[in-house]
Amino acid sequence: MVAAPANVGQVAREGVHVSDAELTVEVTGPVATVVISNPARRNAMTAAMWRQLPELLDRLEPDPDVRALVLTGAGDAFCAGADLNDLAELLDAGDASIAVAAEERLASFAKPTVAAIRGACVGGGCQLAVACDLRIAADDARFGVPPARLGLVYPAPTTRRLTRLVGPSAAKHLLFTAELIDVERALRVGLVDEVLTGDRLAARVDDLTAAIAQRSAMSVAAAKEIVDDRAGPARVAWWHRKVATSGEAREGVAAVAERRTPRFAWQPPVGD
């Protein structure tokens, strides 16, 4: 385990405490893991936790030692949604709610994000999982989008992100019925990328993030921006210029020729 930088260590020590609810950060080598913990409510997100998530991400994103981020839940659940004690605050704000702000910040995190999902992934939990780049699930995971059961309107940014991921028909099924679906159906519709037995989940997430961390950060960052449709023609041209000027391609080709692991060195410019 590589020691966390001082600022990240401070995040990990502080967490966010509301009763027994908290977000914590653990940094192991190049991977930061954000853990959702609210055991009394199956890891439901409190208002304080929604507010703090963007702050944690803001502090992790510029850290050059963090190459990937994992979002997971403590114990046997990912996240059972928003804490209903804070529902009035979320409803009053509509699409400007703290939950949507947290989702958008997670989706815009510049480095790859992986949701490691066990058990319940419902409502706000599904919202956060969908905002990640990849979703790896244990075979006991269950997914649901419950606003129609509660008489609520799912936020428009959240609805559109879900639809882009699973398609209109599967999104409508989740939204219209509020039914829980099992992990096999979630895999079929594209809501999750891989399914493993619970005892293999952690090892697979470790292997996946280790592989990502070994790749060119330049290539990964460019791919994420382009896939997420956040790179216009000028930005794409900027990325192609970086191929010529960064030395990443020369290093990658040399590593293949020399049959060694590449030593990619590119880091995003500060403030980019």
Side-chain angles (χ1 to χ4, degrees):
M1 178 181 294
V2 178
N7 63 327
V8 176
Q10 185 178 6
V11 174
R13 288 193 298 273
E14 289 175 0
V16 183
H17 297 275
V18 179
S19 181
D20 57 351
E22 62 179 358
L23 295 178
T24 59
V25 176
E26 302 168 0
V27 178
T28 304
V31 180
T33 300
V34 176
V35 181
I36 305 166
S37 180
N38 186 356
R41 297 183 180 274
R42 292 190 303 160
N43 298 336
M45 291 282 289
T46 65
M49 293 161 76
W50 286 117
R51 288 191 184 93
Q52 191 69 10
L53 181 57
E55 297 177 12
L56 294 179
L57 298 175
D58 286 347
R59 294 162 71 176
L60 288 167
E61 186 174 74
D63 189 325
D65 294 328
V66 172
R67 300 289 298 272
L69 182 138
V70 174
L71 180 67
T72 194
D76 59 2
F78 181 74
C79 174
D83 193 317
L84 294 182
N85 290 330
D86 300 315
L87 192 59
E89 179 177 353
L90 299 179
L91 291 178
D92 288 345
D95 283 359
S97 74
I98 53 177
V100 174
E103 171 197 356
E104 293 294 321
R105 182 64 188 92
L106 179 59
S108 69
F109 192 74
K111 298 170 184 181
T113 56
V114 179
I117 303 165
R118 298 178 186 272
C121 181
V122 180
C126 197
Q127 182 177 358
L128 291 173
V130 169
C132 290
D133 296 312
L134 300 171
R135 285 150 295 282
I136 312 299
D139 55 9
D140 67 346
R142 297 294 181 269
F143 302 84
V145 183
R149 192 172 67 241
L150 301 171
L152 308 177
V153 175
Y154 213 39
T158 309
T159 301
R160 294 186 184 109
R161 181 169 286 113
L162 175 66
T163 304
R164 288 195 298 270
L165 182 64
V166 303
S169 182
K172 288 174 180 176
H173 173 264
L174 288 164
L175 290 160
F176 292 177
T177 69
E179 290 179 347
L180 291 179
I181 64 171
D182 62 21
V183 75
E184 288 79 13
R185 181 164 187 164
L187 182 63
R188 280 201 309 275
V189 301
L191 187 55
V192 299
D193 300 292
E194 295 183 34
V195 177
L196 302 102
T197 57
D199 60 339
R200 296 176 56 207
L201 179 64
R204 174 55 182 148
V205 171
D206 286 348
D207 288 346
L208 181 65
T209 52
I212 291 170
Q214 290 179 354
R215 308 306 181 225
S216 165
M218 182 197 71
S219 299
V220 171
K224 177 164 179 169
E225 284 190 11
I226 294 168
V227 170
D228 290 347
D229 199 22
R230 292 188 290 109
R235 182 65 170 179
V236 172
W238 184 88
W239 281 119
H240 285 303
R241 288 195 298 274
K242 288 299 172 186
V243 173
T245 62
S246 66
E248 294 288 273
R250 288 192 297 275
E251 169 59 18
V253 171
V256 171
E258 297 166 13
R259 298 184 179 182
R260 60 173 174 81
T261 300
R263 296 182 289 272
F264 294 119
W266 183 86
Q267 291 289 344
V270 176
D272 178 53

